[in-house]
Amino acid sequence: MAKRTAKEWAIRLLPLAVIVGLVIAAFALGLNRYLSMEMLREHGLNLQAYAREHYWLALAGFVLVYAVATASTIPGPVFLTLLGGMMFGPWVGALAQSTGATLGSVAIYMVYRSAIGTWLRAKFKADAGLMDKITRGIDRNAFVTLFTLRVIPSVPFVLINAAAGMVAAPLKPYIAATFLGLLPSTTIYTWIGSRLGQMMQTGARPDLETLVRQFFWPLMGVAFLSLLLPLMIKLWQAWRRRRAPEAA
């Protein structure tokens, strides 16, 4: 194998350097603390009014901010999703969030595909842990595996992006599975966000306790996707395996 030149290494490591820079900048600016219920209470109505007056500019800005937040892996994206519902309503908000998250996910995917993916995959394969299972599943059927993982909110987002990059999953199925797989849970959160906006217009100042109490059942929908859906998928896979010898 030919030895890579310094220029080739610089090109391969450039996406990683960009992401590291985004993470450092995000934490240096305190964006991780900014994404909170306090942010929604203090700025939600103003941003909602801005979106009414400058709709397309606000929409493009929201998608860009969500893409950067996803790529920089800062915590608290659920509050940004709620804000999308407040600003644009549940349906447009969900589409905007999925678009921004997909763009940010592609950035992470490119880092692991171009810089450190091969080395990491060899390491995780030796460990034979969760990451190895995810990468093997993507190898078998990229779209189905990625879509299933995206639908389940409890699966760490960055973990999926890294695994897809490590195995160099085809980009088109990766984008489609990410965008479509995020929509179910995202739509629930943006619907909650739109209702929060309506509550705040009446003078209410909701907190996390109010959020859970007022929107218990929609949040149970997210819990269903996180807890029961994986069980249903496993049962379906077991049924398929039992059926396979009969069909043969």
Side-chain angles (χ1 to χ4, degrees):
M1 182 181 295
K3 188 176 181 180
R4 290 192 176 92
T5 64
K7 182 179 179 180
E8 289 173 332
W9 274 112
I11 293 172
R12 286 175 62 83
L13 293 173
L14 179 61
L16 178 61
V18 171
I19 297 300
V20 171
L22 283 174
V23 173
I24 293 172
F27 280 92
L29 294 171
L31 296 182
N32 57 311
R33 297 189 300 273
Y34 193 68
L35 296 180
S36 63
M37 280 298 296
E38 184 66 22
M39 178 271 291
L40 294 179
R41 287 196 300 268
E42 296 299 323
H43 304 287
L45 290 180
N46 290 334
L47 290 171
Q48 193 179 58
Y50 183 84
R52 285 196 299 267
E53 296 174 7
H54 309 280
Y55 186 82
W56 293 109
L57 181 61
L59 187 62
F62 178 82
V63 170
L64 178 61
V65 168
Y66 212 106
V68 172
T70 302
S72 62
T73 67
I74 61 174
V78 64
F79 297 107
L80 201 54
T81 305
L82 293 172
L83 178 62
M86 292 178 63
M87 293 174 67
F88 308 108
W91 311 119
V92 175
L95 292 172
Q97 187 273 354
S98 287
T99 301
T102 300
L103 291 173
S105 296
V106 169
I108 299 294
Y109 163 90
M110 294 305 297
V111 167
Y112 284 92
R113 180 165 179 168
S114 63
I116 55 177
T118 303
W119 174 77
L120 279 176
R121 179 159 194 194
K123 183 180 185 303
F124 286 122
K125 187 175 182 180
D127 293 341
L130 175 61
M131 193 63 129
D132 182 51
K133 292 179 181 178
I134 293 175
T135 54
R136 285 190 282 110
I138 296 173
D139 273 338
R140 288 193 297 270
N141 193 320
F143 178 83
V144 171
T145 300
L146 287 168
F147 177 80
T148 302
L149 292 171
R150 294 299 194 193
V151 166
I152 303 170
S154 58
V155 179
F157 206 74
V158 176
L159 198 67
I160 304 170
N161 300 336
M166 273 187 257
V167 301
L171 189 57
K172 288 182 179 179
Y174 175 79
I175 291 174
T178 299
F179 181 82
L180 296 174
L182 290 174
L183 285 176
S185 59
T186 292
T187 302
I188 295 174
Y189 281 125
T190 51
W191 180 84
I192 293 173
S194 68
R195 296 298 299 271
L196 280 175
Q198 294 172 13
M199 290 172 57
M200 290 170 61
Q201 287 174 357
T202 66
R205 291 179 61 81
D207 53 19
L208 285 176
E209 183 181 347
T210 303
L211 183 71
V212 174
R213 186 174 63 251
Q214 292 286 336
F215 304 105
F216 177 80
W217 290 112
L219 290 172
M220 286 301 98
V222 177
F224 167 79
L225 293 173
S226 297
L227 301 175
L228 294 182
L229 185 60
L231 177 60
M232 294 173 64
I233 291 172
K234 286 183 178 180
L235 292 174
W236 178 76
Q237 290 174 336
W239 178 80
R240 286 284 303 272
R241 285 194 294 267
R242 287 198 301 269
R243 293 278 297 176
E246 298 175 9

